[in-house]
Amino acid sequence: MPDDRPAAEAHVAAPLHAPLLVDVQNVTVRFRRKRTFATLLSNTPTSFRAVAEADLAIARQEVVALVGESGSGKTTLGRTILRLYEPNEGVVVFEGQDITHLRERQLRAVWRRMALVFQDPLSSLNPRHTIHTALATPLRIAGRAASDVEDRVKAALQRVGLPLDARGRYPHELSGGQLQRVALARALMLSPALVIADEAVSKLDVSVRSQILNLFKDLQADLNISFLFITHDLHVARYISDRVAVMFFGRIVETGPVRSLFRAPRHPYTRALLATIDDRGEDTPQLRRGVVDPDAPGCIYQAQCPRRIARCAEAHPPTTTVERDHTLACYNPG
Ligand SMILES: Nc1ncnc2c1ncn2[C@@H]1O[C@H](COP(=O)(O)OP(=O)(O)OP(=O)(O)O)[C@@H](O)[C@H]1O
Ligand SMILES: [Mg+2]
């Protein structure tokens, strides 16, 4: 990871009392469990909470990293903010509008203000469309004039550092890093207020990853957008974000400004997660031992927790604000 630039120095974090872009309140998302012979026999409930009672705010121009191990619900929460999923409980507010239960027709205007960048850009690009078509299509759908479309496609390519002749190429003719630049250019075509990047640099080689991360950072500062950066890589989170939210089995257990969270994590899970970082570069935290039932009573982390006390078995701890912009769900923090 690039460590030539200290975390979060490129721009000043917007304080959370500034107008919020995203305000997720008490959101729960349930999925159906796959039915197997074993689940039928053991009378396992037919659904589980992939995201449980989550609160997450994103200020305008803020970069929030959502971190946690595989299966902790990061993508599900991201897709719920985009209203690709409708939550079972709770509220999703975007730009002051409650979008929790909007229908698809009403969501179209909202979706123009949001964009998603995936881990694998090839999967989001049509292999039979040139890069020009990929970039121009969102503008055409939005009803932009043809001359405007040309200018904007050119400007977008320049902004993400691609040559203009990339317009005539097809996705398979580009490298992974170039493709991620195209995906980013496309995400920015309609000037969104929010970009959700879901493991957007995870598959790239380390050297390319630094370039793309820097590009994300530069664009974010230039265009004043908010980012939700979903990543299991804590180095990426530390490098890119203003604030970090830590998830464990569907629960957000701690959120805080990147510097204080990395310097003084409070939740025992955050502490364990950060202890997996070493200086050798890449890290894929794998701390999970055993399977946690997200619907069982008590704290979600109690089985693994070295600081467990009697109360932890009773109910999952409520989320409290422990310092400015720092929240915690723990009865016995460190
Ligand atoms: N569409 C779906 N239907 C049923 N279960 C799902 C669906 N999507 C995700 N899940 C389950 O919900 C839980 C959370 O998954 P999610 O993809 O949000 O995790 P994640 O934190 O993004 O993981 P990763 O780091 O591996 O991408 C997992 O147990 C997953 O198997
Ligand atoms: Mg995911």
Side-chain angles (χ1 to χ4, degrees):
M1 261 324 87
D3 39 16
D4 45 333
R5 287 203 233 175
E9 265 195 356
H11 59 287
V12 178
L16 273 188
H17 48 76
L20 290 183
L21 182 71
V22 175
D23 196 6
V24 169
Q25 300 163 12
N26 201 29
V27 156
T28 293
V29 182
R30 288 189 163 274
F31 284 132
R32 248 170 223 292
R33 222 184 269 278
K34 277 216 178 82
R35 274 148 72 93
T36 63
F37 196 57
T39 58
L40 285 175
L41 281 184
S42 62
N43 221 356
T44 312
T46 53
S47 72
F48 72 100
R49 290 193 286 191
V51 174
E53 300 173 354
D55 293 325
L56 184 66
I58 305 175
R60 285 192 187 266
Q61 302 170 28
E62 190 185 29
V63 181
V64 175
L66 185 57
V67 303
E69 293 164 79
S70 183
S72 55
K74 305 181 297 295
T75 295
T76 305
L77 182 55
R79 293 178 70 93
T80 308
I81 293 171
L82 292 170
R83 263 309 316 281
L84 300 173
Y85 295 141
E86 185 171 340
N88 298 77
E89 285 158 46
V91 177
V92 182
V93 177
F94 179 74
E95 296 194 307
Q97 184 186 8
D98 182 346
I99 63 165
T100 320
H101 302 296
L102 291 189
R103 306 238 165 264
E104 190 171 329
R105 201 162 47 81
Q106 302 162 304
L107 278 170
R108 272 184 217 142
V110 177
W111 284 333
R112 284 188 192 166
R113 308 278 301 143
M114 306 167 156
L116 180 59
V117 179
F118 300 95
Q119 178 172 23
D120 181 5
L122 263 189
S123 67
S124 60
L125 293 169
N126 186 327
R128 280 171 301 202
H129 286 173
T130 61
I131 302 309
H132 182 274
T133 306
L135 297 183
T137 301
L139 294 172
R140 292 211 179 105
I141 292 172
R144 298 288 165 86
S147 57
D148 186 34
V149 171
E150 293 310 309
D151 290 347
R152 280 175 169 256
V153 169
K154 279 190 205 163
L157 285 173
Q158 275 166 345
R159 183 175 282 150
V160 299
L162 286 172
L164 289 184
D165 67 12
R167 281 178 296 177
R169 303 228 213 121
Y170 289 89
H172 72 268
E173 298 174 312
L174 300 181
S175 71
Q178 288 172 325
L179 282 171
Q180 207 50 295
R181 288 175 194 268
V182 172
L184 192 50
R186 195 172 63 160
L188 299 174
M189 286 317 284
L190 293 175
S191 310
L194 173 70
V195 172
I196 297 191
D198 193 349
E199 303 285 4
V201 296
S202 306
K203 274 199 171 170
L204 302 173
D205 290 346
V206 174
S207 59
V208 182
R209 190 179 308 172
S210 316
Q211 293 168 15
I212 301 292
L213 272 181
N214 284 338
L215 177 63
F216 268 103
K217 219 165 173 158
D218 292 344
L219 289 173
Q220 194 275 337
D222 288 353
L223 302 176
N224 290 333
I225 26 188
S226 302
F227 269 109
L228 181 64
F229 222 91
I230 297 175
T231 179
H232 62 266
D233 186 331
L234 298 168
H235 292 280
V236 168
R238 179 158 59 178
Y239 182 67
I240 198 95
S241 71
D242 301 315
R243 210 155 49 84
V244 181
V246 181
M247 272 189 107
F248 183 78
F249 277 97
R251 296 276 184 177
I252 295 180
V253 295
E254 185 166 11
T255 73
V258 65
R259 280 163 190 266
S260 59
L261 192 107
F262 273 80
R263 194 179 50 232
R266 305 283 309 275
H267 196 284
Y269 176 65
T270 314
R271 291 170 160 235
L273 195 65
L274 295 189
T276 65
I277 297 190
D278 59 37
D279 293 331
R280 279 170 287 167
E282 208 166 334
D283 66 301
T284 306
Q286 280 176 345
L287 297 169
R288 260 182 208 201
R289 281 164 211 106
V291 176
V292 173
D293 175 1
D295 289 308
C299 174
I300 195 74
Y301 192 55
Q302 59 179 307
Q304 286 91 339
C305 187
R307 299 181 62 85
R308 180 180 56 239
I309 53 175
R311 274 175 98 185
C312 305
E314 290 162 17
H316 187 78
T319 301
T320 54
T321 300
V322 287
E323 270 166 55
R324 190 186 150 92
D325 297 345
H326 195 140
T327 68
L328 188 63
C330 183
Y331 294 121
N332 189 25

